[in-house]
């Protein structure tokens, strides 16, 4: 239940985290791991009310400037959110042996060269989006990944059977994510001067892939030297992230890390690499990391919204023509994933 292999066997040696979790000096969050009340004033990270008519323009500005924004009045019912969180919390509360039964692939990385990224794991060195660092440091994180859409990629054998209601909660939440994603893509397309459906179509239409993750970051005795997830950008199109109320997510902008504040009932929207590519660099993939906490457990439920692997994604023709030349190579999404996961040039 404690997580990160029962918080590294309760640090039996010395009360310090093992060296494979200790980041190099320049990557350590230091006092910024948990700023608390002494924090300097934050630049206002956009919180956008989706019930307002100007929300689309605000999203386009935020995607250009930050690559990240929070949304409220997003239409995902509170009951669907709390049920998703309940089943996720209860899964991570199971004994380690039971969670271990959901491992797939090599067991040591979500990115074995061939094979599934799905399943349960701990403290990986190569998480999604290639926060893999060359030193091979581990993240202070347990996780579970599984696809939730479309039906052709969903493998229910990987989904937890326990707790009861896990499948229903995830299916229900997924339907809301599909609806919300279409709405976000509509606004973000218009913000680029494209047709409303342009982005949805460019990312696969009905074949759009949704990959659900649960992240579990247990308390850590030395949050200043380690990270829940190392700095990275997500390689998908967009990520819709549901957090619990424990802060820890930070975004890098203008040479420094900014805390993403907890806003009750908000969802956090990240621009991923594919939207940066499609927009020919007008929207920015958000560089982010997760810091951990001495007392509290952070949990988050990111939904990674991706094109199907066989789909070629490149700068949208209309935008590349306007900007000539195109700033990115068109590429099948699965090839992009392979290169990024294996630290190969794109
Ligand atoms: C991720 C990620 C952030 C968080 O899983 O890619 O960046 O707040 N998660 O858990
Ligand atoms: Ni991420």
């Amino acid at each position: 239940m404690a997580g990160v292999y029962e918080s590294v066997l309760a640090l039996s040696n010395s009360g310090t985290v093992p060296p494979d979790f200790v980041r190099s000096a320049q990557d350590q969050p230091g006092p910024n791991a948990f700023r608390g009340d002494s924090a300097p004033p934050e630049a206002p990270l956009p919180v956008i009310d989706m019930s307002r008519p100007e929300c689309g323009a605000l999203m386009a500005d935020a995607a250009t400037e930050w690559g990240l924004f929070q949304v409220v009045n997003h239409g995902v019912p509170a009951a669907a959110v709390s049920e998703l969180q309940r089943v996720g919390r209860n899964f991570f509360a199971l004994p380690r042996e039971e969670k271990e039964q959901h491992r797939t692939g090599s067991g040591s990385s979500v990115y074995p060269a061939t094979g599934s990224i799905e399943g349960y794991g701990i403290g990986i060195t190569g998480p999604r989006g290639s926060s893999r660092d060359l030193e091979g440091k581990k993240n202070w994180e347990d996780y579970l990944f599984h696809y939730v859409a479309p039906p052709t990629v969903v493998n229910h054998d990987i989904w937890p059977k326990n707790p009861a209601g896990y499948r229903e909660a995830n299916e229900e939440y997924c339907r809301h994510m599909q609806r919300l994603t279409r709405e976000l893509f509509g606004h973000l397309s218009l913000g680029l001067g494209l047709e409303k459906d342009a982005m949805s179509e460019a990312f696969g239409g009905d074949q759009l892939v949704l990959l659900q993750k649960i992240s579990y970051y247990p308390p850590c005795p030395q949050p200043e030297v380690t990270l829940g997830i190392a700095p990275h950008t997500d390689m998908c199109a967009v990520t819709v992230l549901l957090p619990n109320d424990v802060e820890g997510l930070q975004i890098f902008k203008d040479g420094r890390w900014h805390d993403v504040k907890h806003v009750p009932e908000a969802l956090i929207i990240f621009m991923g690499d594919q939207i940066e590519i499609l927009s020919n660099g007008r929207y920015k993939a958000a560089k982010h990391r997760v810091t951990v906490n001495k007392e509290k457990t952070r949990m988050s439920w990111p939904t990674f919204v991706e094109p199907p692997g066989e789909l070629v994604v490149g700068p949208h023709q209309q935008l590349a023509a306007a900007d000539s030349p195109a700033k990115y190579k068109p590429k099948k999404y699965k090839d992009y994933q392979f290169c990024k996961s294996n630290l190969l040039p794109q």
Side-chain angles (χ1 to χ4, degrees):
M1 154 130 198
V4 188
Y5 198 5
E6 312 336 16
S7 301
V8 193
L9 295 182
L11 302 170
S12 49
N13 308 327
S14 56
T16 56
V17 302
D20 48 350
F21 289 94
V22 177
R23 298 279 161 182
S24 63
Q26 90 248 21
D27 286 344
Q28 289 187 10
N32 284 353
F34 198 64
R35 291 210 184 110
D37 292 338
S38 59
E42 292 294 327
L45 209 134
V47 179
I48 298 173
D49 180 345
M50 289 186 69
S51 67
R52 298 183 65 99
E54 70 275 23
C55 72
L58 296 173
M59 284 180 196
D61 286 350
T64 305
E65 207 181 320
W66 289 87
L68 183 144
F69 51 88
Q70 305 206 54
V71 290
V72 293
N73 288 322
H74 43 64
V76 183
V81 166
S82 61
E83 185 60 5
L84 184 85
Q85 292 185 311
R86 184 188 70 81
V87 295
R89 272 195 312 271
N90 289 352
F91 173 75
F92 277 91
L94 294 173
R96 179 168 146 86
E97 302 70 47
E98 199 168 339
K99 288 181 283 192
E100 286 288 348
Q101 289 166 12
H102 293 83
R103 268 193 196 274
T104 60
S106 69
S108 62
S109 164
V110 285
Y111 276 118
T114 59
S116 175
I117 61 158
E118 294 185 279
Y120 169 76
I122 297 174
I124 46 162
T125 53
R128 199 159 177 75
S130 197
S131 52
R132 175 159 88 179
D133 59 290
L134 297 164
E135 297 166 324
K137 296 293 183 185
K138 290 181 175 160
N139 288 330
W140 192 266
E141 182 204 24
D142 296 5
Y143 58 87
L144 177 73
F145 277 104
H146 54 73
Y147 289 104
V148 290
T152 45
V153 305
V154 173
N155 178 0
H156 286 293
D157 293 344
I158 290 164
W159 294 30
K161 307 277 177 296
N162 192 6
Y166 186 92
R167 176 168 169 170
E168 293 73 12
N170 277 267
E171 286 178 344
E172 166 83 2
Y173 187 77
C174 172
R175 282 191 287 276
H176 293 294
M177 288 300 102
Q178 288 173 310
R179 194 265 312 148
L180 178 60
T181 302
R182 259 197 311 278
E183 215 171 307
L184 294 171
F185 281 160
H187 289 305
L188 291 167
S189 296
L190 293 172
L192 292 170
L194 302 173
E195 295 289 319
K196 194 170 177 201
D197 292 336
M199 211 171 263
S200 270
E201 280 166 20
F203 290 135
D206 290 348
Q207 296 308 303
L208 196 67
V209 173
L210 274 67
L211 175 65
Q212 185 63 46
K213 180 186 180 193
I214 310 176
S215 292
Y216 184 95
Y217 311 98
C220 176
Q222 287 184 293
E224 64 284 358
V225 300
T226 192
L227 288 170
I229 304 187
H232 67 286
T233 58
D234 293 346
M235 64 176 116
C236 54
V238 295
T239 305
V240 180
L241 183 139
L242 167 67
N244 72 354
D245 61 2
V246 178
E247 293 176 344
L249 175 64
Q250 296 184 322
I251 172 162
F252 193 76
K253 182 177 183 292
D254 300 333
R256 56 166 283 209
W257 291 98
H258 301 259
D259 291 334
V260 178
K261 295 290 180 196
H262 178 68
V263 175
E265 293 169 25
L267 294 168
I268 304 170
I269 314 297
F270 301 66
M271 301 304 110
D273 296 345
Q274 303 311 305
I275 208 166
E276 178 172 320
I277 293 168
L278 186 78
S279 70
N280 204 26
R282 296 194 194 181
Y283 293 152
K284 305 288 178 319
K287 182 173 167 187
H288 56 284
R289 71 178 185 184
V290 180
T291 61
V292 290
N293 183 297
K294 242 185 168 114
E295 287 94 31
K296 296 177 191 160
T297 298
R298 174 176 173 84
M299 285 187 75
S300 70
W301 287 258
T303 309
F304 300 104
V305 180
E306 312 180 322
E310 295 295 333
L311 194 72
V312 174
V313 178
H316 192 280
Q317 276 184 340
Q318 259 168 271
L319 302 175
D323 296 352
S324 61
K327 299 190 177 96
Y328 306 82
K329 259 195 274 177
K331 196 159 196 174
K332 278 188 185 173
Y333 182 56
K334 70 172 189 190
D335 295 337
Y336 187 91
Q337 284 179 303
F338 183 85
C339 290
K340 186 155 180 178
S341 317
N342 292 290
L343 302 175
L344 301 168
Q346 292 291 350

